[in-house]
Amino acid sequence: MRPLTEDETKTLFQKLAEYMGRSVERLINRSDERHCFRLIKDRVYYVSESVMKSSTSINKDNLLHCGTCLGKFTKSGKFRLHITALDYLAQYSKYKVWLKPSAEMSFLYGNNVIKSGLGRITESTPQYAGVVVYNLADIPLGFGVAAQTTDACKELDPTANVVLHQADVGEFLRGLEDDMF
């Protein structure tokens, strides 16, 4: 377990800023306790400083996880968010999309969100912005990338993509956790 390098931190913050905007600093400077980011085997973990200090007594070969896994760095150096980051993305998300009940299962099976399944969308959502996807009961289901702006969504064909799927809570059920852990 080691701290992130400057380049890794920059890459992580750029990815988180796509979904959270300037709220990324709230992750580190929380009111209850300070938190930090640590790297274990190409995976980035969000850890409270007290847990991090306690974990130093564990041999690094025996330490599998520590904190919440936000994602991993690919071999090419890019950062890929995992569904385990959804709780933090949902708390501080800048742009949101709500799905109709008829579109929830389609999204949870890994499909993109089409206009006919769109319940609501945050005003002034730009194209290719990171969005958190909710059901109408405000339960976060996953996250993705806005394929269209809010204004463009009003004139779209009912079968056109509105949100491009990135991750959803159905990944646990589909058995994709091998990639996550």
Side-chain angles (χ1 to χ4, degrees):
M1 179 168 68
R2 67 169 176 83
L4 275 65
T5 64
E6 193 170 319
D7 290 338
E8 291 169 341
T9 304
K10 183 179 176 185
T11 304
L12 170 67
F13 282 178
Q14 285 175 343
K15 181 59 93 169
L16 290 174
E18 289 178 21
Y19 293 91
M20 298 178 174
R22 299 186 55 83
S23 299
V24 175
E25 58 193 44
R26 290 187 195 168
L27 285 176
I28 299 170
N29 300 323
R30 290 177 40 168
S31 60
D32 55 348
E33 185 179 2
R34 287 186 56 85
H35 283 65
C36 59
F37 299 101
R38 290 292 183 253
L39 190 76
I40 303 174
K41 300 177 184 170
D42 292 331
R43 294 197 168 32
V44 176
Y45 291 88
Y46 180 61
V47 187
S48 70
E49 287 189 350
S50 63
V51 171
M52 183 202 52
K53 289 176 184 174
S54 299
S55 68
T56 57
S57 63
I58 300 172
N59 184 0
K60 72 175 190 173
D61 295 331
N62 295 334
L63 185 65
L64 296 176
H65 303 287
C66 182
T68 302
C69 181
L70 293 182
K72 73 174 191 173
F73 283 100
T74 62
K75 293 187 193 292
S76 63
K78 295 180 182 176
F79 185 74
R80 187 176 191 303
L81 282 170
H82 285 173
I83 190 60
T84 51
L86 181 62
D87 290 339
Y88 299 106
L89 293 178
Q91 274 182 333
Y92 303 114
S93 65
K94 201 171 171 184
Y95 304 110
K96 303 174 182 179
V97 170
W98 289 267
L99 299 182
K100 293 179 181 175
S102 59
E104 285 179 30
M105 287 307 294
S106 176
F107 181 75
L108 293 176
Y109 283 128
N111 298 320
N112 296 331
V113 177
I114 57 175
K115 185 184 184 259
S116 63
L118 184 66
R120 294 186 324 221
I121 186 169
T122 306
E123 283 299 318
S124 68
T125 301
Q127 189 174 18
Y128 305 123
V131 295
V132 176
V133 179
Y134 294 85
N135 65 5
L136 291 178
D138 279 338
I139 298 172
L141 300 175
F143 53 90
V145 176
Q148 306 291 335
T149 63
T150 303
D151 296 332
C153 287
K154 297 173 184 171
E155 293 119 25
L156 282 177
D157 180 44
T159 60
N161 286 334
V162 176
V163 176
L164 304 175
H165 180 272
Q166 295 285 314
D168 63 81
V169 293
E171 290 178 6
F172 291 110
L173 300 175
R174 291 194 304 270
L176 299 177
E177 64 268 354
D178 295 340
D179 294 337
M180 285 188 267
F181 303 114

